[in-house]
Amino acid sequence: MKFDSVLHQPHAILAATLVVLLMGVLGYVKMPTNLFPDVNRPSVSVVTKWPGAAATDVAREITHPIEVRMSAIDGVRRVTSTSRDGVSVVQVEFEYGKPIETAANAVTTELSRVRGLLPEGIREPLIFKITDAARPVMVLAVTPAPQSGLDLGDVRRLAENPLRDALLNLPGVAEAEVFGGDHRQVQVSLRSRERFWDIRVPKIDSIFDNSLVPRPSWSPGVPPQHRKLVAATHRPPI
């Protein structure tokens, strides 16, 4: 029988066994490894800040133009966005198989094409590659101690300055982000008369131009009695 003939050839069996073992060793050595393998679709986020702008203005002037350009990229599966007061976040999700670096380069290219259509006064858009390796490995909660007299705004300023700097100085820490807390704001409500609007707005603009506060965005299409200005302000670190 054929099976019996194979058993009588020990050298062939030994050679085949050695070949299988050698292939296993080579596969183990050359197999790529990753501490945080990407199991999700590659995604890239574009974050654009426009200090003082209302959410509706952000959606119309920033989010929508960026969404249109991102949707034209080859291999895009879905484009989602969030528009809030002063900030626009557009997330571009690609199909499986798209390298994250290639996806980020494509987003950067399309963003440069739409950059000239975005309003003046915005901060330079930031591009973030969303991968499992980029997820935070530790989340710290900071709360004011009882009887300390600190509010959530004070706690945020503490977290943004000495606490964040101390964390970034630790060995192995690549980035530390602060979220939550209160932002100090100034709200200016104008009277309903158009004459007051025409006279006072330039003066208010000049006040912001001469301060460290980012100049806000006005919305002339809103009725005068509803025209309001909300702008973030800065206070010295505690």
Side-chain angles (χ1 to χ4, degrees), residues 55-137:
T56 53
D57 295 333
V58 171
R60 181 180 64 254
E61 302 293 338
I62 299 178
T63 303
H64 179 67
I66 293 179
E67 279 184 320
V68 172
R69 296 302 308 182
M70 297 300 116
S71 300
I73 299 177
D74 184 42
V76 170
R77 178 177 181 269
R78 181 174 57 183
V79 178
T80 57
S81 64
T82 302
S83 299
R84 300 192 301 270
D85 291 345
V87 62
S88 164
V89 180
V90 178
Q91 183 164 334
V92 187
E93 182 179 314
F94 293 84
E95 296 289 354
Y96 283 119
K98 188 84 167 182
I100 188 64
E101 294 296 337
T102 303
N105 292 336
V107 170
T108 302
T109 301
E110 293 299 327
L111 186 61
S112 63
R113 295 176 180 174
V114 76
R115 182 64 177 85
L117 302 178
L118 302 181
E120 297 181 358
I122 67 170
R123 297 180 181 176
E124 194 63 27
L126 302 177
I127 298 177
F128 297 94
K129 293 175 285 188
I130 309 300
T131 63
D132 290 336
R135 300 184 187 278
V137 296

Side-chain angles (χ1 to χ4, degrees), residues 162-210:
L163 181 57
R164 181 175 181 272
D165 294 340
L167 292 175
L168 290 175
N169 289 329
L170 294 177
V173 176
E175 182 58 62
E177 297 182 3
V178 179
F179 59 92
D182 293 338
H183 292 272
R184 192 165 180 258
Q185 295 181 333
V186 172
Q187 179 172 303
V188 180
S189 299
L190 303 180
R191 296 178 183 176
S192 60
R193 290 178 297 176
E194 288 291 345
R195 183 176 61 84
F196 186 89
W197 168 262
D198 295 335
I199 294 175
R200 297 301 182 185
V201 166
K203 293 184 178 180
I204 295 176
D205 281 342
S206 65
I207 294 175
F208 281 95
D209 289 338
N210 296 327

